[in-house]
Amino acid sequence: MSAAIIDGKAVAAELVARVAEAAAALKVEAGVVPGLAAVLVGDDPASAVYVRSKGKRTREAGMASFEHRLPATATQAELLDLVARLNIDPQVHGILVQLPLPPQIDAAAVIDAISPAKDVDGFHAINVGRLASGLEAMVPCTPLGARMLLRRALGDMSGAEAVVLGRSNIVGKPMAQLLLAENCTVTLAHSRSRDLPALCRRADILVAAVGRPEMVRGDWIRPGATVIDVGINRVAGADGGSRLVGDVAFDEAIAVAGAITPVPGGVGPMTIACLLANTLTACRRSLGLASATLFD
Ligand code: NDP
């Protein structure tokens, strides 16, 4: 038996097309173009690449992109001042501050300063609390994308045993909340959990988000399980170069799982697609409109 491959690239392209269509309709109906402001502090090359590519993808979806760059020496007050201006800018519906931030800046204070309505990363405590309370919230993009892939692969998840490996605020915790909302029985595992292989073998749905290359082996996986590999790890390749691998040993897992996301081409492309979707949602909500149906 060989697992079905969950094609995140294709699902992401479909989601982006839906967002673009809904953004175009909004422009015709309400004369409003959804706008995403990305803030980059310093000159970390990886962060600069992310921000550039987010801007490009935003424009491709027919939305407005605003890039704000501050020097690595920027003070917390300067960044908070910029966030305050973006919070009241009517052309900006989503704000993302690219992490990590330089050491003189308190990231938690900056996240706290972003208007929850414009918090398209879903990191503000108001959105975290709303998600946990089962209220309408801005949901972090990576777990939102993973849930869309799971809905596509499985449909109704009620009663499924779900194990999430990793408890970060960005991936693991919101993923667990989303699976709970899908009526799964959820186990959230982390570096202090005992006997991870046995925990994982219980899972009908296994989400790996630990940042440890190929930690999850084939014999950790229950036959037929659906495996979502969030990990993105760069390791040395056989040719002296480097390659990307997930947190799951793909070649072993594919022989056991029922369905699995590849790395790259699984969860990764969903993250940016969900950022665009969240920006559209924030814009619609600012106009008092219901969220467009994007994720089914
Ligand atoms: P963090 O480093 O913030 O969190 C890692 C989590 O994994 C922690 O909860 C940690 O436990 C747990 N963990 C670490 N080592 C082990 C271990 N040996 N056994 C069990 N649990 C362990 O990472 P992120 O959540 O930000 O990211 C996780 C992975 O997902 C990374 O590879 C990252 O690159 C990738 N990622 C991919 C995205 C995408 O777009 N596809 C977006 C975001 C992240 P503890 O809390 O106890 O320390």
Side-chain angles (χ1 to χ4, degrees):
M1 191 185 78
S2 183
I5 305 294
I6 300 172
D7 186 350
K9 222 171 145 184
V11 179
E14 196 189 308
L15 177 57
V16 171
R18 281 198 214 179
V19 170
E21 203 178 306
L26 195 61
K27 193 172 171 187
V28 172
E29 287 158 24
V32 176
V33 177
L36 174 65
V39 179
L40 177 63
V41 185
D43 28 45
D44 176 58
S47 294
V49 169
Y50 291 143
V51 167
R52 252 203 317 277
S53 103
K54 284 169 186 171
K56 182 167 173 274
R57 302 291 298 279
T58 305
R59 288 188 294 276
E60 281 168 4
M63 307 201 287
S65 160
F66 308 97
E67 261 182 58
H68 295 268
R69 283 173 173 253
L70 294 180
T73 52
T75 64
Q76 179 155 328
E78 283 168 334
L79 180 53
L80 290 177
D81 183 57
L82 173 58
V83 168
R85 280 186 277 128
L86 296 174
N87 279 344
I88 56 170
D89 185 337
Q91 287 185 295
V92 171
H93 305 96
I95 302 170
L96 81 86
V97 177
Q98 186 67 43
L99 302 176
L101 290 167
Q104 75 275 15
I105 295 177
D106 175 5
V110 174
I111 291 168
D112 193 47
I114 296 172
S115 162
K118 296 190 178 187
D119 169 37
V120 282
D121 270 334
F123 296 161
H124 193 289
I126 294 275
N127 283 315
V128 175
R130 290 182 66 89
L131 175 63
S133 304
L135 299 170
E136 191 177 81
M138 279 289 154
V139 178
C141 302
T142 300
L144 196 55
R147 183 192 63 180
M148 185 172 180
L149 295 180
L150 282 167
R151 282 186 175 170
R152 282 295 174 88
L154 294 171
D156 183 13
M157 289 172 248
S158 290
E161 287 268 358
V163 173
V164 179
L165 280 178
R167 57 173 163 181
S168 72
N169 291 336
I170 294 173
V171 188
K173 284 182 199 158
M175 188 76 240
Q177 293 293 354
L178 289 174
L179 290 166
L180 196 57
E182 297 289 320
N183 298 313
C184 296
T185 303
V186 182
T187 303
L188 187 50
H190 46 80
S191 67
R192 310 292 175 90
S193 298
R194 277 180 312 194
D195 201 352
L196 285 176
L199 273 182
C200 291
R201 271 192 295 271
R202 291 196 342 221
D204 303 308
I205 296 169
L206 179 61
V207 180
V210 283
R212 303 267 180 248
E214 301 182 323
M215 186 181 90
V216 177
R217 311 309 309 187
D219 63 359
W220 295 28
I221 295 169
R222 181 179 187 151
T226 303
V227 179
I228 302 289
D229 189 353
V230 180
I232 301 178
N233 309 289
R234 192 164 284 286
V235 296
D239 57 357
S242 69
R243 64 190 180 104
L244 288 183
V245 298
D247 291 342
V248 178
F250 185 82
D251 293 345
E252 295 176 18
I254 198 170
V256 189
I260 185 168
T261 57
V263 178
V267 178
M270 294 301 295
T271 298
I272 194 152
C274 287
L275 177 69
L276 303 181
N278 277 352
T279 303
L280 176 78
T281 298
C283 179
R284 289 185 63 88
R285 286 185 190 154
S286 77
L287 300 168
L289 301 170
S291 312
T293 309
L294 297 168
F295 293 108
D296 298 334

